[in-house]
Amino acid sequence: MKQSMKVGMVLLVALTVAMWFGISSVSKKKEVLTSQYNELETQMFEKESAFEDMLTLYDKVEGQISDILEKENLIQHQGNDRIDRRNNEKIFKEISMIDDLIFRSKQDLRQLEDEAKSANLKLGVFEKRINGLQAELNERATVITTLKAELSKKDETLALMISQQDSLNQTINAQLTDLEEKALKVQQLTAQNSELNKSFLAIGTFEDLQSKGVVAKEGGFLGIFGKRVALQEEADEKSFMTVDRRNVQKLRIEAASLSLVSSHPLGSYQILPGDSEAEQVLEITDPESFWKVSKYLVISKKI
């Protein structure tokens, strides 16, 4: 009887352990699936928001092109009448407004193309519509150039006004192009600097860091010196927080003690007590030397 009870107890314990591991496994899978769902939901929301912004900009350009066409028809009608001082001022005003609409539409189209590329969406049909707008805008620009030439032949005063306006527009466009090129160079240099200064940070207890595959114990002799905690070079970068090392000079960390797992020269940093016993401060005193060996900063803490 006692033997049967022992066997029954062993089976009960085994069943309980199996159920616990099963529940734990299901719970972990549920956490992973929930995390993946939330990530997908966020991505969908961002894509939907980006697409709505592009549609708004598309409608704006489409409306501007319609305005250009309407003003073209108005100028052509006025140009058929006898041109006098009163009439040429009206015509010139409409021409100036068309020039402005063409300029703004080109800027908006460029922005629309950039947003379509950066949104990383498969928008084959939408890209065709953008190309259609671009072709229509080019056609309107060609028509207005021809119209200007025809009107200039009819009236010397209007011809002078159009010539001066075109010259001013060319100067402004050249200056804007120059500014855009400089802004692009600054953007590229900034991106290069950000990439050069990109580093990876991980902070946690040894157990936390180990579970993420960031650190492992290796080498040494158990019972004498113990095993050394080492950074896992093949660790997934997703396990780290991406930081700009230029912004990491002083880290206040909730911990009783800290130690650096990643390699950094002694004298390039110091660990100081914080404002309370439960806080430690890592201060990087020589950033150039500190980051010279490794772009990873891994901090093991004890709470």
Side-chain angles (χ1 to χ4, degrees):
M1 176 68 73
K2 289 182 179 180
Q3 186 67 23
S4 298
M5 287 181 64
K6 285 182 179 179
V7 171
M9 287 296 293
V10 169
L11 288 173
L12 180 61
V13 170
L15 181 60
T16 303
V17 170
M19 286 178 64
W20 185 86
F21 276 110
I23 293 169
S24 177
S25 177
V26 170
S27 178
K28 286 182 179 178
K29 286 180 181 178
K30 185 178 178 182
E31 285 179 12
V32 171
L33 288 172
T34 301
S35 175
Q36 289 175 346
Y37 173 79
N38 290 336
E39 187 176 348
L40 285 172
E41 191 176 35
T42 301
Q43 289 175 358
M44 287 296 293
F45 176 78
E46 289 174 352
K47 288 183 178 181
E48 185 179 348
S49 178
F51 187 65
E52 286 178 358
D53 289 343
M54 285 189 288
L55 277 180
T56 301
L57 193 53
Y58 178 91
D59 290 341
K60 179 186 175 185
V61 176
E62 197 172 43
Q64 288 172 172
I65 291 176
S66 295
D67 290 342
I68 292 169
L69 186 57
E70 184 181 334
K71 292 183 182 301
E72 276 179 16
N73 294 331
L74 182 62
I75 291 172
Q76 286 174 341
H77 176 72
Q78 291 174 337
N80 291 331
D81 299 333
R82 182 175 176 274
I83 298 179
D84 54 27
R85 180 176 295 178
R86 230 174 8 175
N87 199 21
N88 66 19
E89 287 178 357
K90 289 181 181 178
I91 291 173
F92 179 72
K93 184 178 179 181
E94 296 295 335
I95 287 173
S96 297
M97 292 176 72
I98 287 176
D99 285 341
D100 182 57
L101 282 168
I102 289 174
F103 173 79
R104 283 192 282 131
S105 296
K106 285 181 178 179
Q107 295 289 101
D108 290 337
L109 266 178
R110 192 178 295 123
Q111 181 184 341
L112 188 57
E113 288 172 342
D114 291 342
E115 288 184 5
K117 289 176 183 176
S118 62
N120 196 24
L121 300 174
K122 295 179 180 178
L123 300 170
V125 176
F126 192 70
E127 287 175 0
K128 288 180 181 178
R129 292 173 68 183
I130 294 175
N131 292 337
L133 280 182
Q134 185 68 64
E136 192 172 352
L137 185 61
N138 291 338
E139 184 180 348
R140 299 272 62 81
T142 301
V143 169
I144 194 62
T145 299
T146 304
L147 194 55
K148 284 179 182 179
E150 292 173 355
L151 292 169
S152 296
K153 290 177 182 178
K154 293 183 178 182
D155 187 89
E156 290 183 2
T157 304
L158 186 58
L160 180 60
M161 294 167 71
I162 291 173
S163 176
Q164 289 175 341
Q165 181 70 26
D166 285 348
S167 178
L168 179 61
N169 287 340
Q170 286 175 2
T171 302
I172 292 172
N173 288 337
Q175 289 174 345
L176 284 172
T177 300
D178 184 51
L179 285 173
E180 287 174 356
E181 288 176 354
K182 288 179 179 177
L184 180 61
K185 287 180 181 177
V186 169
Q187 187 180 0
Q188 290 171 340
L189 287 171
T190 302
Q192 288 173 1
N193 266 335
S194 296
E195 188 63 28
L196 287 171
N197 287 284
K198 185 166 73 173
S199 296
F200 301 94
L201 172 66
I203 304 172
T205 62
F206 171 77
E207 289 76 16
D208 291 336
L209 297 172
Q210 188 180 41
S211 67
K212 293 177 181 178
V214 175
V215 300
K217 283 187 177 180
E218 58 182 32
F221 299 93
L222 284 175
I224 304 176
F225 298 107
K227 290 190 176 182
R228 184 172 65 89
V229 177
L231 172 66
Q232 293 288 81
E233 293 183 0
E234 68 275 11
D236 190 342
E237 288 186 354
K238 291 181 181 178
S239 301
F240 297 85
M241 181 190 305
T242 303
V243 296
D244 187 325
R245 67 182 65 172
R246 293 169 296 185
N247 301 327
V248 183
Q249 285 91 33
K250 188 178 286 187
L251 293 174
R252 293 186 175 275
I253 301 168
E254 188 177 343
S257 64
L258 299 177
S259 61
L260 300 192
V261 179
S262 46
S263 299
H264 304 278
L266 293 174
S268 66
Y269 68 93
Q270 55 184 352
I271 297 174
L272 305 170
D275 296 334
S276 68
E277 292 182 0
E279 183 183 71
Q280 297 289 310
V281 179
L282 170 66
E283 183 178 4
I284 300 173
T285 55
D286 185 354
E288 185 176 352
S289 177
F290 184 86
W291 296 106
K292 195 171 184 179
V293 177
S294 174
K295 63 180 179 180
Y296 292 91
L297 171 54
V298 179
I299 303 171
S300 179
K301 67 178 184 177
K302 290 184 179 179
I303 301 173

